[in-house]
Amino acid sequence: MSVEAAGSDRRAVEQDCARLIARYANLNDAGDWDAVGSLYAPEGRMCRPTAPDLWIEGREAILDAFRSRPHRVTRHVCSNIVIDVLDPDHAVGESAMLLFTGDGPPKVGSFHDRFVRIGGDWRFAERRGTLTF
C-alpha cells in the first residue's frame, strides 16, 4: 500500500470514529435509546462518567441501562476528538464532553473509547466516561 493510500485510509477511519462519537451525543440527547444501543458492538461495554469504574457489559445491558434512566433534557457538546488507528478494524480515541442539563450546572468530562469495525461499520467496543468537574 502506498503512503498516500495509508494516510487516506487512516483519515477515513478517524472521520468514521469521530462521526460515531457525534452520533452518540446527538442520539443520547434525542433519547433514542435503541439507536444509541446499536452504536455498540454486541459484546461492547461502557462506563458512565458518573460511575467510571462500573462496567455495563453487552449491548442489551447497555440498552437496558439507558431505558431505565429517568427522562431529562440534555445537550452534549463533543470536542478535542483524537482518534488513533491501530489496524484496519481497530482504533482508540479520546474526546472532551460538555454536558448541559436543564436541572443543574454544566458538567465537563471525557470519554476514552475503543472502536471495532464490524461488517464495514464502526462500533464502540468500549466507552469509558469520566467527570473532570
Side-chain angles (χ1 to χ4, degrees):
M1 177 185 308
S2 71
V3 172
E4 288 104 18
S8 176
D9 290 345
R10 178 186 51 79
R11 284 188 295 278
V13 172
E14 291 170 348
Q15 179 63 34
D16 288 349
C17 291
R19 179 177 165 75
L20 189 65
I21 290 169
R23 282 191 46 75
Y24 183 94
N26 291 342
L27 293 168
N28 194 326
D29 291 337
D32 189 342
W33 307 133
D34 290 331
V36 170
S38 75
L39 300 179
Y40 282 89
E43 67 285 352
R45 63 187 201 150
M46 76 164 205
C47 287
R48 289 186 170 145
T50 54
D53 296 316
L54 180 62
W55 289 105
I56 302 168
E57 302 202 28
R59 183 187 287 161
E60 290 305 314
I62 291 168
L63 185 53
D64 289 343
F66 277 108
R67 286 180 175 156
S68 69
R69 290 168 63 166
H71 176 74
R72 64 183 185 160
V73 176
T74 62
R75 173 57 67 195
H76 292 79
V77 179
C78 315
S79 68
N80 304 359
I81 299 170
V82 176
I83 307 297
D84 293 312
V85 180
L86 303 176
D87 63 42
D89 295 316
H90 299 90
V92 294
E94 181 178 357
S95 58
M97 191 69 63
L98 177 59
L99 171 62
F100 294 95
T101 63
D103 60 355
K107 294 181 174 125
V108 175
S110 61
F111 281 96
H112 291 82
D113 300 312
R114 285 190 317 110
F115 305 95
V116 62
R117 188 181 342 225
I118 301 172
D121 295 319
W122 287 94
R123 298 289 179 251
F124 291 106
E126 184 174 289
R127 180 144 240 243
R128 183 179 200 162
T130 57
L131 284 179
T132 308
F133 55 90

